[in-house]
Amino acid sequence: MDRMNVMRRELLLALTLLPASRVRAAAPVLTLTVLAEAFPPLQYETPEGQASGYVYAFVQEMLALVARERALQVGAVQFVPLKRALAQAQTEPQLLLLSVARTPEREDGLVWLREIAPYRLWLYRHRASSVPAPRSLAELKGRGLRFGVQDQSNFEAWLRRQGLGQPGDNSQIEAVRQNALNLRKAQLQRIDLFAHPDVSLAYRAREQGLNPEEFEPVLLIHELSLPLWLACSRGTDVALVQALQRAADSLVAAGRLETLRRQHGLPPLR
């Protein structure tokens, strides 16, 4: 049995079969729902329907530690769009959200546990594109560039805040349902530029049957490159939040986050 399956079995035992004598007798059983947007290699669902990713694995270990302190029931992670997860967090307590950017707009709406992953959003182009690679924001404007975006994404909003695709600018903004579709559109020369996190570009390219080397990062979008966090919804049991923070901190101190990153082929955080 591989390590991931062993961890899942141990977590299930810890959360559902732990004798009452092994947890605080007076503590009620708490439920916790885990929500995440699919984001390889952090957390995602494999073609076989299994949850995977280094953040997912870290959270499983974190929850197993918490279950040693108190009675806890946790269902399988639910992969949902980030917008839906954030909306649920506004009305439902006892939610744990994976890999969320800590933006000023979200600051007061969630309880932030700890930073879990770096995040860098780049503008990409296909290497066969005839459009010169822009090296600054100023070079994006007034050139009639075609931008591929995911519908209602923060990148689309960012472009419009810069005045791109707005009156007086001849840029075109073309929206698709899933950002991964923009890789194929770039290969077919139907768009000039699209935004993508660098950590998942290779995975998404291969998922589309494309060679990641076909795509060139040309401009880092600093404003949207924010570290990702673990967070709980407001109203989540305070003692549980504290237990989650202690467990996460102890695992990071023990080097587990770095180890899991290496196991998923990622460079050290430092």
Side-chain angles (χ1 to χ4, degrees), residues 121-124 134-137 140 158 216-221:
L121 188 69
W122 284 83
L123 274 183
Y124 281 86
R135 300 301 176 187
S136 69
L137 173 60
L140 299 179
W158 180 84
E216 175 189 16
V218 295
L219 188 65
L220 179 65
I221 306 175

Side-chain angles (χ1 to χ4, degrees), residues 82-83 86-87 89-90 97 100-112 153-155 157-158 161-162 223-227 231 234:
L82 180 59
K83 285 182 178 291
L86 293 171
Q90 299 309 304
L97 279 62
V100 180
R102 190 171 182 173
T103 64
E105 296 80 13
R106 298 171 184 166
E107 181 66 31
D108 295 332
L110 295 169
V111 178
W112 302 94
S153 65
N154 61 353
F155 174 57
W158 180 84
R161 287 199 303 271
Q162 312 311 311
E223 184 179 340
L224 302 182
S225 297
L226 300 173
R234 291 285 178 185

Side-chain angles (χ1 to χ4, degrees), residues 148-207:
V149 304
Q150 181 171 321
D151 189 33
Q152 298 184 16
S153 65
N154 61 353
F155 174 57
E156 179 182 8
W158 180 84
L159 287 174
R160 298 189 187 284
R161 287 199 303 271
Q162 312 311 311
L164 294 161
Q166 304 303 295
D169 178 74
N170 61 355
S171 306
Q172 301 175 44
I173 298 177
E174 301 184 15
V176 293
R177 182 173 54 86
Q178 296 178 338
N179 195 35
L181 299 175
N182 283 314
L183 280 73
R184 179 68 68 183
K185 291 183 68 175
Q187 184 204 42
L188 296 173
Q189 306 297 307
R190 291 168 54 191
I191 56 173
D192 301 310
L193 298 166
F194 64 96
H196 207 284
D198 56 357
V199 71
S200 60
L201 188 282
Y203 184 98
R204 291 304 190 195
R206 295 189 184 101
E207 193 176 55

Side-chain angles (χ1 to χ4, degrees), residues 17-208:
L17 301 181
L18 196 63
S21 61
R22 297 285 301 279
V23 298
R24 295 177 182 174
V29 177
L30 292 176
T31 61
L32 186 68
T33 300
V34 182
L35 302 179
E37 183 172 50
F39 183 9
L42 281 67
Q43 67 268 335
Y44 62 99
E45 195 169 19
T46 68
E48 297 74 31
Q50 298 295 318
S52 187
Y54 84 88
V55 171
Y56 170 77
F58 179 88
V59 167
Q60 298 309 294
E61 295 188 16
M62 180 182 75
L63 292 172
L65 284 180
V66 172
R68 297 178 186 177
E69 295 185 27
R70 61 184 308 136
L72 183 65
Q73 290 185 340
V74 184
V77 60
Q78 299 177 28
F79 288 104
V80 300
L82 180 59
K83 285 182 178 291
R84 175 178 164 186
L86 293 171
Q88 283 187 237
Q90 299 309 304
T91 59
E92 299 178 29
Q94 305 300 115
L95 297 183
L96 173 63
L97 279 62
L98 309 191
S99 307
V100 180
R102 190 171 182 173
T103 64
E105 296 80 13
R106 298 171 184 166
E107 181 66 31
D108 295 332
L110 295 169
V111 178
W112 302 94
L113 297 181
R114 70 161 295 119
E115 189 177 314
I116 194 67
Y119 179 88
R120 299 193 306 170
L121 188 69
W122 284 83
L123 274 183
Y124 281 86
R125 70 164 189 164
H126 194 270
R127 293 186 185 276
S129 173
S130 60
V131 174
R135 300 301 176 187
S136 69
L137 173 60
E139 294 181 22
L140 299 179
K141 298 179 179 180
R143 295 175 56 189
L145 296 174
R146 300 166 298 170
F147 294 92
V149 304
Q150 181 171 321
D151 189 33
Q152 298 184 16
S153 65
N154 61 353
F155 174 57
E156 179 182 8
W158 180 84
L159 287 174
R160 298 189 187 284
R161 287 199 303 271
Q162 312 311 311
L164 294 161
Q166 304 303 295
D169 178 74
N170 61 355
S171 306
Q172 301 175 44
I173 298 177
E174 301 184 15
V176 293
R177 182 173 54 86
Q178 296 178 338
N179 195 35
L181 299 175
N182 283 314
L183 280 73
R184 179 68 68 183
K185 291 183 68 175
Q187 184 204 42
L188 296 173
Q189 306 297 307
R190 291 168 54 191
I191 56 173
D192 301 310
L193 298 166
F194 64 96
H196 207 284
D198 56 357
V199 71
S200 60
L201 188 282
Y203 184 98
R204 291 304 190 195
R206 295 189 184 101
E207 193 176 55
Q208 297 288 315

Side-chain angles (χ1 to χ4, degrees), residues 214-241:
E214 295 181 45
F215 303 96
E216 175 189 16
V218 295
L219 188 65
L220 179 65
I221 306 175
H222 291 278
E223 184 179 340
L224 302 182
S225 297
L226 300 173
L228 304 180
W229 285 65
L230 300 178
C232 287
S233 57
R234 291 285 178 185
T236 298
D237 182 84
V238 174
L240 176 57
V241 169

